[in-house]
Amino acid sequence: VVVNDDGGTLGVADFPLFITPAAGGTAIPATSGVPVNLAHGDYIVSETPHSDYTASAWSGDCAANGAITLSPGIGYSCTITNDDKPGTLTLTKTVVNDDGGTLGVADFPLFITPAGGGTAIPATSGTPVTLDAGDYIVSETEDPAYAASAWGTDCAANGAITVAPGGTYTC
């Protein structure tokens, strides 16, 4: 099972499944939902993981670690769920008061807005914000007495950024 509730786009086929004899031997490829005929005995089921997804423990007839003992003539079913991870974006504001200014970081509110439009998400300097995968524009409330630099680090100079599932970004 694959859950894409944070902007992920992978499907079941992106997580190849395998059944390996517990005593060792060659891993047998398996297709989700398709029965595999096996001799009775002990096996370990597994999958190829993706770092942008969190895998559950195995369930159904398998132990949480994927171990299963097959008896002759009985059908078994095991399930694992992969859920896409949200990304995080940390905005860091620096204020330089080298010409007599007195404003601080809190005087420049920060925002993250979906690039396609939508509600701006307030951000606190130095605090990660959890986001679905997608395109965003970061911004701040400017003060005419201060000159803002271009955005940097993971953001484009104009504040554009693409957040991937499980990605960690700083601007």
Side-chain angles (χ1 to χ4, degrees):
V1 176
V2 178
V3 178
N4 286 315
D5 58 353
D6 291 306
T9 59
L10 296 182
V12 170
D14 295 306
F15 297 87
L17 301 169
F18 301 94
I19 305 166
T20 305
T26 303
I28 302 161
T31 301
S32 181
V34 177
V36 177
N37 291 321
L38 299 166
H40 69 277
D42 296 328
Y43 293 88
I44 302 290
V45 297
S46 63
E47 70 170 357
T48 301
H50 283 273
S51 62
D52 297 340
Y53 285 72
T54 300
S56 70
W58 286 93
S59 64
D61 295 319
C62 284
N65 67 354
I68 187 167
T69 299
L70 304 181
S71 296
I74 299 176
Y76 297 91
S77 178
C78 300
T79 301
I80 190 166
T81 299
N82 294 277
D83 190 353
D84 61 336
K85 298 176 186 176
T88 61
L89 174 57
T90 303
L91 303 183
T92 302
K93 174 66 180 175
T94 303
V95 178
V96 178
N97 286 315
D98 59 351
D99 291 316
T102 59
L103 297 182
V105 170
D107 296 307
F108 298 88
L110 302 170
F111 302 94
I112 304 167
T113 305
T119 304
I121 303 162
T124 301
S125 181
T127 302
V129 176
T130 301
L131 300 168
D132 287 347
D135 295 326
Y136 295 89
I137 302 292
V138 300
S139 62
E140 69 172 352
T141 301
E142 296 183 13
D143 185 291
Y146 285 76
S149 68
W151 288 93
T153 315
D154 294 321
C155 284
N158 68 354
I161 185 166
T162 299
V163 174
T168 302
Y169 305 92
T170 302
C171 299

